[in-house]
Amino acid sequence: MQKQFDNLYGITPKSTDNPKAKQKQLFIEQEQARILSELPTRPSNISFFEEILLKRDTAKADKPLVGYFCNMVPAEIIHAMGAVPVRLDGGNNIAAITGEEILSGEICPVAKASFGIFLQEDSLASSCDLLIIPTSCDAKRKMGEVLNDFKPTFMLNLPPEQNHRMYIKQVYAEMKRLVEFLRQNLKVKLSKSALKKAIDLGRAKSSLVRRLQELRSQDPRALSIRDLFLIVQASAFGIVSPERWIEETTKVLDELKNAEPPKKSLRPRLVLTGAPIIWPNFKVLNLLEECGADIVADTVCTGAQSHFDPVVVEEKSMQSLLRALAGRYVFASICPCFISQNTRINRILELYESLSAGGVVNYSLRLCQLFDVENYRIGQVMRERNIPFFNVRTDYSLEDTEQLRVRIEAFLETL
Amino acid sequence: MLVAGIDVGSRTIETLLYDGAQVVETIVTDTGSYPKENAKKAFNNLLAAASVKREDVETIVSTGYGRNYFEGADRVASEIMCHARGASYLFPNARTVIDIGGQDSKMIGLDAEGKVQKFVMNDRCAAGTGKFIELVSQSIEVPLDKMAEATVDTTESCDISSMCAVFAESEIIGLLQRGTPLDIILRGVFKSIARRTLSMAGRVGLNADVVFTGGVAQNAGVTRALEEESGVQLHVPPEPQITGALGAALVAAERN
């Protein structure tokens, strides 16, 4: 395989050793855990999932660790090649500040926070052996070049359009290239049976999240959107085997099935859409629920949406398995990085109607141009259909919490 | 019936008693550094001024940035709702409310029944708010209540391009040093506030009747600049700063 990066001008990776920053970073996570502990109803084994996210710094795997960004990298391939996949998109404000000091202040907090954790020597990101980064935005596209000096990095080239007929060959070739990158670095060959097994486990995970989401949409307070995000994110952002995660999540599902039938609730039911909400940055979720809204469903790539589409396998040849993964991870994605994005609007409308929701909230992450510009069209489409729509634009800092609270309260009053 | 509205803003606290037909009493005080204590004090002063007892007030609704600081409230309502309610009570044909307070500004679009349809709030800085005017007042040494007066006969204006309160201050000092007359600078300040505020109109629409509320609406210079920049005539209540408290009282009356 031809190398993606020329190391002619490679630079020595930087690292920062700032115990204060690490302390603050941990504090933010513990503070979010404390806020969650005040929820009236939680699954009895929720600490299992919370621990996975809280212990990320010290987690060491006995297998090679492959870090990746975005919801467009098939973790199944990594599993099938005997390594542990871990999603590294960052949600910590202090990590974002650390990243900003070295990289740039003018890129979105996800990129800054993701970069920030690479600067810490004992972080989970630093213990990764390899990195996979899709070219899903300009910040990530160029960050890969910087991070390649830290870890051998593979850039997964995405097509500009989700036109299956035109681009499936290209994406399939990219998948093969990814497999080759992993083979060279991990010295492991991908077998059809291992990939099939990993896909089956992935499908089992998806169906669990779908069932959880289905049940909680009837009674969103039986399982808060924040706990759902916690459960979903533990499976990708932390180190846990799919089998173990399935076991614990099945317990959550059973509890939810046996929960008492919901009492009639007057709380407004909202559909949440927009930019990724990543642990511990649950600020907007905290605010929405504290102000009295129920989030009945989401189209967020770090929420239930990340498990909405199962991988559909038609034949068992290696080619069709990889094509199935391409179909699921690239062509079914709701990311605004593609030049036309109707899938997201379709999903929002479908959720709004089928769950008799009362409105739609869009989370717009400051400095993410893709979500920001797409927000305009979504807002207009909602208004044309008389769907109450509200845009929350913010970043990871907490200083605007009270201003946001006013806006959210005012929006809820209009419903 | 007797109800009360209390608007705990960033700069001032407005309290108001309403009997179901008209406003009985209003008191406006500074928020100061102790909003909790001062809100309580303001409310007690209101009761004393109207010679009524706490038990006589059936429902109290608080609003504003410090709405949760006032412990005596039966419920809280957002300032968006309260300004909308207050403005359409005073001007039943109101379709747009521009509110400029001590630390934020907002534009609210109303439907024919006076219900909130859309709203936009300014971002997280003092630009174009009451606090900005206060800073200008201090740096050019013209008292707040004399600022509009100073520009009554001024037709010219200059550009104040910085919208950051801190940068604008140094821009104003530069203008003063170059000998630009004070009244022209002030007109520039008012115009820049107007433009900043009207930039929100794109997302809400500026449908007549437009009502201008909040403490800054007491400044005729800003009102004039808003009218000139938008080409729309504004309706300003006689006491624009109490609109939020009035709205809160109206919400209280409805819930009663």
Side-chain angles (χ1 to χ4, degrees):
Chain A
M1 180 179 104
Q2 217 172 359
K3 277 209 167 135
Q4 284 183 318
F5 296 106
D6 185 340
N7 289 334
L8 182 61
Y9 298 111
I11 48 167
T12 317
K14 280 201 190 322
S15 68
T16 54
D17 184 26
N18 185 344
K20 272 265 163 61
K22 275 209 74 179
Q23 227 174 339
K24 279 194 218 157
Q25 208 169 297
L26 187 68
F27 174 77
I28 290 184
E29 308 212 359
Q30 286 165 343
E31 183 58 15
Q32 182 56 42
R34 190 196 57 76
I35 293 172
L36 288 179
S37 70
E38 288 168 0
L39 280 169
T41 321
R42 303 191 80 188
S44 56
N45 62 341
I46 196 69
S47 60
F48 169 79
F49 303 97
E50 209 166 73
E51 292 287 293
I52 292 172
L53 290 174
L54 281 170
K55 283 194 176 147
R56 275 186 297 175
D57 275 2
T58 49
K60 287 273 180 282
D62 44 2
K63 297 177 186 172
L65 258 184
V66 179
Y68 68 94
F69 289 153
C70 294
N71 196 33
M72 286 186 262
V73 172
E76 287 90 339
I77 297 179
I78 303 166
H79 273 301
M81 295 180 83
V84 176
V86 59
R87 189 168 167 184
L88 294 174
D89 297 286
N92 197 304
N93 188 35
I94 299 299
I97 294 168
T98 309
E100 180 174 300
E101 283 164 9
I102 308 269
L103 203 56
S104 160
E106 305 302 311
I107 52 174
C108 89
V110 178
K112 285 190 286 205
S114 308
F115 185 74
I117 44 171
F118 279 94
L119 301 170
Q120 293 163 8
E121 276 173 356
D122 51 355
S123 69
L124 187 54
S126 300
S127 28
C128 282
D129 299 284
L130 304 171
L131 286 181
I132 305 170
I133 308 179
T135 55
S136 51
C137 68
D138 286 351
K140 285 182 176 167
R141 190 192 304 272
K142 288 315 283 182
M143 219 160 72
E145 197 177 31
V146 179
L147 287 175
N148 186 54
D149 288 325
F150 289 66
K151 309 279 173 192
T153 300
F154 177 77
M155 297 302 294
L156 183 74
N157 284 296
L158 296 172
E161 298 171 37
Q162 282 175 315
N163 181 329
H164 193 274
R165 211 173 48 181
M166 232 171 129
Y167 289 106
I168 181 64
K169 269 193 192 150
Q170 184 190 315
V171 179
Y172 171 65
E174 276 299 298
M175 292 293 164
K176 287 217 316 201
R177 214 169 156 212
L178 166 65
V179 173
E180 180 57 19
F181 168 82
L182 292 172
R183 190 193 65 79
Q184 282 180 9
N185 286 283
L186 298 172
K187 316 270 184 267
V188 174
K189 215 171 159 269
L190 176 64
S191 84
K192 215 166 58 183
S193 60
L195 184 57
K196 182 69 180 47
K197 195 181 154 226
I199 289 176
D200 286 343
L201 273 174
R203 284 174 58 94
K205 280 171 68 178
S206 282
S207 97
L208 262 176
V209 174
R210 285 169 70 110
R211 287 283 294 129
L212 270 186
Q213 169 52 31
E214 246 171 63
L215 282 177
R216 68 170 293 280
S217 69
Q218 307 304 314
D219 180 17
R221 266 175 304 163
L223 178 66
S224 151
I225 186 80
R226 291 177 272 175
D227 274 343
L228 178 77
F229 272 52
L230 199 71
I231 293 167
V232 168
Q233 292 183 15
S235 83
F237 290 80
I239 297 194
V240 58
S241 77
E243 291 88 347
R244 187 79 184 89
W245 183 88
I246 287 172
E247 194 185 313
E248 292 295 330
T249 307
T250 308
K251 288 183 200 160
V252 177
L253 186 66
D254 290 341
E255 267 182 33
L256 208 56
K257 278 187 207 155
N258 298 326
E260 276 179 44
K263 292 187 191 81
K264 206 150 176 60
S265 163
L266 290 172
R267 289 162 71 98
R269 293 163 61 83
L270 303 178
V271 172
L272 174 72
T273 185
I277 292 176
I278 305 163
W279 170 268
N281 173 45
F282 283 8
K283 175 172 80 175
V284 170
L285 301 179
N286 291 340
L287 276 171
L288 284 165
E289 287 195 328
E290 280 166 16
C291 291
D294 283 340
I295 308 296
V296 288
D298 71 81
T299 75
V300 175
C301 73
T302 52
Q305 174 68 40
S306 64
H307 286 74
F308 177 72
D309 299 285
V311 180
V312 182
V313 180
E314 279 160 2
E315 287 171 62
K316 284 177 186 149
S317 69
M318 182 61 92
Q319 185 185 359
S320 57
L321 292 181
L322 289 179
R323 275 172 172 260
L325 289 170
R328 149 74 172 83
Y329 282 97
V330 176
F331 293 99
S333 165
I334 49 120
C335 184
C337 70
F338 301 102
I339 62 164
S340 172
Q341 185 48 280
N342 285 341
T343 317
R344 176 151 84 113
I345 299 185
N346 288 340
R347 278 284 291 150
I348 298 168
L349 292 174
E350 182 199 313
L351 290 168
Y352 176 81
E353 278 154 24
S354 65
L355 300 175
S356 22
V360 174
V361 172
N362 184 66
Y363 169 56
S364 183
L365 191 58
R366 213 175 278 272
L367 292 169
C368 173
Q369 292 88 346
L370 298 168
F371 275 105
D372 217 16
V373 175
E374 201 169 277
N375 166 51
Y376 167 72
R377 207 164 69 95
I378 292 183
Q380 292 302 314
V381 170
M382 297 305 138
R383 286 190 183 107
E384 271 169 23
R385 284 161 180 73
N386 286 321
I387 298 174
F389 176 79
F390 183 61
N391 183 45
V392 188
R393 184 193 279 132
T394 182
D395 53 26
Y396 287 0
S397 70
L398 292 172
E399 62 188 32
D400 62 348
T401 308
E402 291 313 307
Q403 279 101 320
L404 290 179
R405 196 187 299 276
V406 172
R407 290 170 211 208
I408 291 169
E409 280 177 3
F411 170 67
L412 296 177
E413 281 170 354
T414 65
L415 297 177
Chain B
M1 177 175 74
L2 197 60
V3 294
I6 175 159
D7 182 353
V8 186
S10 62
R11 311 291 302 157
T12 54
I13 298 169
E14 291 86 24
T15 55
L16 181 146
L17 278 175
Y18 176 73
D19 67 1
Q22 56 183 338
V23 175
V24 177
E25 188 67 63
T26 60
I27 285 195
V28 179
T29 51
D30 283 346
T31 307
S33 311
Y34 304 98
K36 218 172 192 165
E37 289 73 13
N38 290 344
K40 199 170 159 187
K41 215 184 280 171
F43 185 69
N44 289 336
N45 290 344
L46 176 78
L47 295 179
S51 337
V52 292
K53 288 198 219 64
R54 169 66 187 87
E55 308 86 80
D56 301 333
V57 186
E58 288 166 60
T59 312
I60 306 168
V61 170
S62 71
T63 185
Y65 136 91
R67 63 200 173 286
N68 294 317
Y69 290 144
F70 181 64
E71 285 158 344
D74 297 299
R75 70 176 289 251
V76 296
S78 78
E79 53 221 62
I80 312 278
M81 185 199 244
C82 292
H83 275 275
R85 210 53 68 82
S88 50
Y89 174 84
L90 297 168
F91 302 97
N93 292 326
R95 292 292 173 277
T96 311
V97 181
I98 297 174
D99 170 64
I100 308 184
Q103 72 171 18
D104 66 25
S105 57
K106 41 189 156 310
M107 199 175 277
I108 309 166
L110 306 175
D111 66 11
E113 280 138 30
K115 281 219 176 92
V116 178
Q117 287 252 294
K118 287 183 194 174
F119 63 89
V120 188
M121 289 174 84
N122 78 335
D123 272 331
R124 45 170 106 164
C125 72
T129 67
K131 183 72 203 165
F132 176 55
I133 298 180
E134 262 186 47
L135 283 171
V136 173
S137 152
Q138 282 160 15
S139 67
I140 62 170
E141 294 172 347
V142 174
L144 267 179
D145 53 352
K146 296 278 183 292
M147 287 173 98
E149 223 171 90
T151 64
V152 170
D153 299 319
T154 313
T155 46
E156 266 183 85
S157 146
C158 63
D159 266 347
I160 309 279
S161 48
S162 306
M163 251 310 157
C164 167
V166 178
F167 288 161
E169 191 175 354
S170 49
E171 200 176 337
I172 289 165
I173 291 166
L175 286 165
L176 282 172
Q177 283 167 348
R178 265 173 276 149
T180 315
L182 213 59
D183 57 329
I184 292 180
I185 297 178
L186 269 177
R187 283 270 290 155
V189 169
F190 296 155
K191 288 236 174 194
S192 77
I193 292 169
R195 278 193 291 270
R196 170 86 180 192
T197 308
L198 291 167
S199 70
M200 293 188 284
R203 281 175 286 164
V204 172
L206 203 64
N207 302 317
D209 292 358
V210 182
V211 180
F212 183 24
T213 66
V216 174
Q218 295 173 94
N219 185 321
V222 177
T223 310
R224 179 180 159 200
L226 276 168
E227 288 181 333
E228 284 169 358
E229 291 292 318
S230 66
V232 178
Q233 207 212 324
L234 304 184
H235 299 264
V236 183
E239 289 178 275
Q241 78 278 26
I242 62 157
T243 316
L246 172 63
L250 293 168
V251 172
E254 266 167 47
R255 305 284 156 142
N256 220 334

